[in-house]
Amino acid sequence: MSDEHEERVPLAHRVPDLGALELLLAVARHGSLGRAARAVGITQPAASSRIRSMERQLGVALVDRSPRGSRLTDAGALVTDWALRVVEAAEAFDAGAQALRGRRDSRLRVAASMTIAEYLLPGWLIALRAGRPGTAVSLLAGNSAVVAQRLLAGEADLGFVEGLSVPDGLDGAVIGHDRLLVVVAPSHPWARRRAPLTPAELAATQLILRERGSGTRQVLDSALSAHGGLAEPLLELASTTAVKAAVVSGAGPAVLSELAVTEELTARRLTSIPLDSVDLRRDLRAVWPTSHRPTGPARDLLTLTRGGSKPG
Amino acid sequence: MSDEHEERVPLAHRVPDLGALELLLAVARHGSLGRAARAVGITQPAASSRIRSMERQLGVALVDRSPRGSRLTDAGALVTDWALRVVEAAEAFDAGAQALRGRRDSRLRVAASMTIAEYLLPGWLIALRAGRPGTAVSLLAGNSAVVAQRLLAGEADLGFVEGLSVPDGLDGAVIGHDRLLVVVAPSHPWARRRAPLTPAELAATQLILRERGSGTRQVLDSALSAHGGLAEPLLELASTTAVKAAVVSGAGPAVLSELAVTEELTARRLTSIPLDSVDLRRDLRAVWPTSHRPTGPARDLLTLTRGGSKPG
DNA sequence: GTCGCTCATAAATCCAGCTTATGGGCCCAT
DNA sequence: ATGGGCCCATAAGCTGGATTTATGAGCGAC
């Protein structure tokens, strides 16, 4: 059962590559193929050819060319918006990857829980880079205990954890909230029910879970301990990505951070089921050693995450 | 003043291409380079080389190779999650593009307002494709009047509009809600204020707007008519994308649908400013000709959009 | 020991996209 | 009206990256 979606033609052949999407965005911004070309560092004929082959690939005219410049067509405006989503995701990828790369010699060392590292940090790093270009960031992902240990050992400058309490020896500040959601594919029977799920029902259901030790799983286990504890997992998978993929493909229900599934929820690829009586909210906290108040880039990042503006 | 963010190295050179990201996801799913290679339709050496150059590019080991298969490293799990976001955005792009292309000979013809077409439809189409593979969809984007006209002329099977009322001759159902938000870059002075914005202040401020005729702009104009109406625009741009890009780069404030900016808000690339006394909520509705209840794929799509529970 | 799976390497091929060079259309200023 | 500025399109040649085949080597099960 489950996966093996055999796609005759891979996605990469149906979607223009990142360079082309960036070029399209540049055209939208600058109003001319030539200007856009210069903005992305290629020549005008290259841009012309690239946009043309993109139009051939999509089967739709994207820009109105005129001797006075180029404007997006109606379809082009739509495509450009979709392209922006892809480019933004790619920027987040890049921000995260850069942080991961600089493990050794970097200046700002961040330790974060998986959920925060996956879904929030890349965005923050983009914003940080805008305010402090050139800051090298390194990122280590682990559970609360690992984060605490790194901070106390002086191997990280700033940490982020989700959970109920601040580990000993650390100071912290709440920077946001997160909630665990029960999610299923829209085709799942639960998607049609009107009544909220009861904790007992959830506890008795076989779920798709991350492997033992994940923070998400621990929170869920303790919240349901009064109702019989978690049932045997239906599947145990290594990454949040794998869990999501399994749920989307209809393998069964899972409980995931809302941060991990907002995209799928608005797109209706997943449906969230209300849960009765149990509140699965948890705080997101920035933490640091009591002795070392964050300074410099660490302080900037901290400020950023609290919704404020940058110091300057 | 538009700033020229000159990136020495374009994003496309720092981020692996879509094919490589898909391959990485396949490796995560299948646990072996060779199987992953077959899954994406290339040979094993090609996959090996691609993953290797990806690791070189990112400067991080992504998979643990062994004679019994390959598993993701810790860093690999993070990267894979970021990769999934990119691939999902690309899938949405593809879903939209396919709908756009099939304008002529397709079986399900959808007419939708810009905001819905941009941010919700691609996701719905992905879900629809999962349930009804092979359904060809065509998409036309326009304002309420255009949508109504197409439906009544029999040139579209199902419509989606945002707004206060259902056009004459159509039946409709509320499928969700949307809210207009005032957004600025985190560096903008407004990001620091504690007091909500007053309607008069907003009306007196020069904003970055979509060009005249956009639904968003009309709603805003009428909501502020009691407070002096909109000021002269600071910039008039052709697409929501262009507006967002201008705001992020600090050009000024804008008013945009929350659907358009959720991503930027959670990533803190944009900040939303509370607005006093004026409620900019609006309903999102599916609509169809009173005479033609949706059937077949149109009915499936309609069911899909009413499926989940959406906060807000 | 041998078969089955795994991954890595080498060499040849092929194609996609780039650059330079050129030409034509439109508008404005002189 | 005419030259110069902007715009875009086309043609030709080059280059590099990714692919394919063919092979070798490690590990485990029988």
Side-chain angles (χ1 to χ4, degrees):
Chain A
M1 58 192 159
S2 82
D3 57 14
E4 222 58 26
H5 258 267
E6 279 232 330
E7 309 207 12
R8 216 81 216 70
V9 178
L11 190 60
H13 292 174
R14 288 176 298 167
V15 177
D17 62 87
L18 280 172
L21 299 182
E22 278 193 288
L23 176 61
L24 180 62
L25 293 176
V27 171
R29 207 166 34 246
H30 292 104
S32 134
L33 293 191
R35 286 182 178 285
R38 258 173 285 136
V40 304
I42 61 178
T43 59
Q44 173 267 320
S48 179
S49 146
R50 241 181 138 150
I51 294 283
R52 179 171 292 288
S53 57
M54 207 164 150
E55 289 176 318
R56 211 163 358 98
Q57 183 179 22
L58 301 180
V60 173
L62 298 176
V63 301
D64 262 340
R65 290 146 244 246
S66 90
R68 298 206 314 285
S70 295
R71 273 185 63 74
L72 295 177
T73 62
D74 287 354
L78 272 177
V79 170
T80 301
D81 278 293
W82 298 327
L84 179 65
R85 310 279 281 192
V86 179
V87 169
E88 280 174 356
E91 276 170 356
F93 183 107
D94 180 49
Q98 278 192 20
L100 225 44
R101 174 168 42 243
R103 186 159 300 201
R104 302 248 176 265
D105 52 341
S106 41
R107 303 236 299 283
L108 171 58
R109 298 159 305 167
V110 176
S113 75
M114 268 288 175
T115 303
I116 293 174
E118 281 171 18
Y119 297 104
L120 294 176
L121 257 178
W124 293 341
L125 296 183
I126 292 174
L128 184 67
R129 203 154 60 188
R132 286 238 179 184
T135 304
V137 181
S138 82
L139 168 61
L140 178 120
N143 61 30
S144 295
V146 171
V147 170
Q149 177 226 312
R150 295 289 167 143
L151 287 170
L152 293 172
E155 291 167 12
D157 306 310
L158 189 61
F160 293 96
V161 298
E162 58 230 4
L164 308 160
S165 60
V166 177
D168 279 348
L170 302 181
D171 277 357
V174 174
I175 57 165
H177 302 280
D178 181 29
R179 203 171 58 224
L180 297 184
L181 301 176
V182 181
V183 293
V184 297
S187 57
H188 192 279
W190 281 5
R192 267 169 234 134
R193 56 182 287 159
R194 306 286 297 171
L197 210 58
T198 68
E201 267 179 304
L202 181 60
T205 304
Q206 290 195 299
L207 298 173
I208 304 171
L209 293 174
R210 284 264 299 284
E211 48 199 12
R212 203 168 299 274
S214 91
T216 301
R217 182 161 172 179
Q218 287 173 353
V219 169
L220 182 61
D221 210 359
S222 80
L224 293 185
S225 60
H227 303 273
L230 276 175
E232 268 310 286
L234 182 61
L235 280 176
E236 279 192 335
L237 299 171
S239 70
T240 307
T241 296
V243 173
K244 283 204 284 185
V247 176
V248 169
S249 79
V255 175
L256 290 168
S257 159
E258 66 178 334
L259 291 171
V261 296
T262 41
E263 195 75 18
E264 285 81 2
L265 288 179
T266 58
R268 311 270 185 195
R269 275 200 302 286
L270 289 179
T271 301
S272 109
I273 312 298
L275 181 60
D276 205 36
S277 340
V278 178
D279 189 17
L280 293 178
R281 287 177 79 89
R282 52 185 183 173
D283 293 330
L284 305 180
R285 281 195 175 81
V287 291
W288 55 88
T290 309
S291 45
H292 289 59
R293 277 212 118 58
T295 57
R299 188 162 159 279
D300 290 351
L301 179 55
L302 180 56
T303 314
L304 199 65
T305 60
R306 301 169 82 173
S309 51
K310 283 162 285 144
Chain B
M1 55 176 190
S2 61
D3 68 351
E4 214 65 15
H5 258 271
E6 280 231 327
E7 308 207 12
R8 214 79 222 73
V9 178
L11 189 60
H13 292 174
R14 287 176 299 166
V15 177
D17 62 86
L18 279 173
L21 299 183
E22 276 192 290
L23 176 61
L24 180 63
L25 293 175
V27 171
R29 205 164 36 245
H30 293 103
S32 135
L33 293 191
R35 284 183 177 285
R38 256 172 287 138
V40 305
I42 61 178
T43 59
Q44 173 266 321
S48 179
S49 144
R50 239 167 128 88
I51 294 284
R52 178 172 293 288
S53 59
M54 206 166 153
E55 289 177 319
R56 211 166 355 99
Q57 183 179 24
L58 301 180
V60 172
L62 298 176
V63 300
D64 260 341
R65 289 146 242 243
S66 89
R68 298 206 314 285
S70 297
R71 271 187 65 73
L72 295 177
T73 61
D74 287 355
L78 271 177
V79 169
T80 301
D81 278 294
W82 298 326
L84 179 66
R85 310 280 280 193
V86 179
V87 170
E88 281 174 355
E91 275 170 358
F93 183 107
D94 180 49
Q98 277 192 23
L100 224 46
R101 172 170 42 243
R103 185 157 300 199
R104 301 250 177 261
D105 51 341
S106 40
R107 304 236 297 282
L108 170 57
R109 299 159 303 168
V110 175
S113 75
M114 266 290 174
T115 302
I116 292 175
E118 281 171 18
Y119 296 104
L120 294 177
L121 256 179
W124 294 341
L125 295 184
I126 292 175
L128 184 67
R129 203 153 59 187
R132 286 238 180 184
T135 304
V137 180
S138 82
L139 167 62
L140 178 120
N143 60 30
S144 294
V146 171
V147 171
Q149 177 225 313
R150 295 290 168 141
L151 287 169
L152 293 172
E155 292 168 11
D157 306 309
L158 188 61
F160 294 96
V161 298
E162 59 229 4
L164 307 160
S165 61
V166 177
D168 279 347
L170 301 182
D171 278 355
V174 174
I175 57 165
H177 302 281
D178 182 29
R179 203 171 58 227
L180 297 185
L181 301 177
V182 182
V183 293
V184 297
S187 58
H188 191 279
W190 281 5
R192 269 175 232 137
R193 56 181 288 158
R194 305 286 295 174
L197 210 58
T198 68
E201 267 179 304
L202 181 61
T205 304
Q206 291 195 300
L207 297 174
I208 304 170
L209 293 174
R210 283 267 299 283
E211 50 199 11
R212 203 168 299 271
S214 93
T216 300
R217 180 160 174 177
Q218 288 174 352
V219 169
L220 182 62
D221 209 358
S222 81
L224 292 184
S225 60
H227 304 272
L230 276 174
E232 266 311 288
L234 183 62
L235 279 176
E236 278 191 336
L237 299 170
S239 71
T240 308
T241 296
V243 173
K244 283 204 284 184
V247 176
V248 168
S249 79
V255 175
L256 290 168
S257 159
E258 65 177 336
L259 291 171
V261 294
T262 42
E263 195 73 18
E264 285 80 2
L265 290 179
T266 58
R268 312 270 186 194
R269 276 203 299 288
L270 289 179
T271 301
S272 116
I273 312 297
L275 182 59
D276 206 35
S277 341
V278 178
D279 189 17
L280 295 178
R281 287 176 79 90
R282 52 186 183 171
D283 292 330
L284 305 179
R285 280 195 177 79
V287 292
W288 55 87
T290 307
S291 45
H292 288 57
R293 276 213 118 56
T295 58
R299 190 164 157 278
D300 290 350
L301 179 54
L302 179 56
T303 313
L304 201 64
T305 61
R306 305 167 81 171
S309 52
K310 171 125 171 46

